[in-house]
Amino acid sequence: QLQASGGGLVQAGGSLRLSCAASARTFSFSSYAVGWFRQAPGKEREFVAALSYDEYTTWYADSVKGRFTISRDNAKNTVYLQMNSLKPEDTAVYFCAADRSQVDVRVSGRVGSWGRGTQVTVSS
């Protein structure tokens, strides 16, 4: 239902753009809030960024503010995460998320729909 892509290996200071496409048959994508989480080895899944269904409101973890930008294209049923000035501590598996609630989409244990993860590795 949600398919993430765009991960890879990048040097510190570099950029990557993650994409997450939703199935039009199972999602009224434009009515869902969307988000991104990440999980590093041995750590819990943590919130990264979220965007309201109407694109008016964004939320970011403090660790990525000013470096990451979440956006969406409802015509393509796709959400993006532009990641700039990457740091080795950004290394993790990144997951996209969707939920009708813009509160629940920011809470790992309450997200309604998850995409498969995509690996991001930042070398120093």
Side-chain angles (χ1 to χ4, degrees), residues 1-61:
Q1 296 179 345
L2 292 172
Q3 182 64 52
S5 61
L9 173 64
V10 64
Q11 288 188 334
S15 298
L16 281 175
R17 188 176 82 155
L18 306 183
S19 300
C20 179
S23 169
R25 289 188 293 178
T26 55
F27 269 94
S28 297
F29 185 75
S30 60
S31 63
Y32 278 72
V34 291
W36 290 92
F37 288 73
R38 66 187 182 187
Q39 188 167 16
K43 295 188 177 181
E44 294 187 352
R45 191 171 298 189
E46 65 174 3
F47 169 75
V48 174
L51 177 63
S52 62
Y53 75 98
D54 57 9
E55 303 182 66
Y56 285 167
T57 309
T58 55
W59 298 269
Y60 293 97

Side-chain angles (χ1 to χ4, degrees), residues 26-113:
T26 55
F27 269 94
S28 297
F29 185 75
S30 60
S31 63
Y32 278 72
V34 291
W36 290 92
F37 288 73
R38 66 187 182 187
Q39 188 167 16
K43 295 188 177 181
E44 294 187 352
R45 191 171 298 189
E46 65 174 3
F47 169 75
V48 174
L51 177 63
S52 62
Y53 75 98
D54 57 9
E55 303 182 66
Y56 285 167
T57 309
T58 55
W59 298 269
Y60 293 97
D62 288 343
S63 59
V64 306
K65 279 181 182 177
R67 300 188 299 121
F68 291 11
T69 302
I70 187 172
S71 62
R72 65 191 297 164
D73 184 339
N74 286 340
K76 296 182 178 180
N77 285 357
T78 301
V79 56
Y80 304 98
L81 185 68
Q82 178 66 44
M83 305 186 294
N84 299 328
S85 302
L86 282 161
K87 304 175 181 180
E89 51 263 45
D90 294 318
T91 295
V93 178
Y94 283 70
F95 299 88
C96 57
D99 199 283
R100 289 192 178 274
S101 166
Q102 63 187 29
V103 173
D104 291 352
V105 79
R106 292 176 276 155
V107 181
S108 178
R110 295 165 63 176
V111 168
S113 298

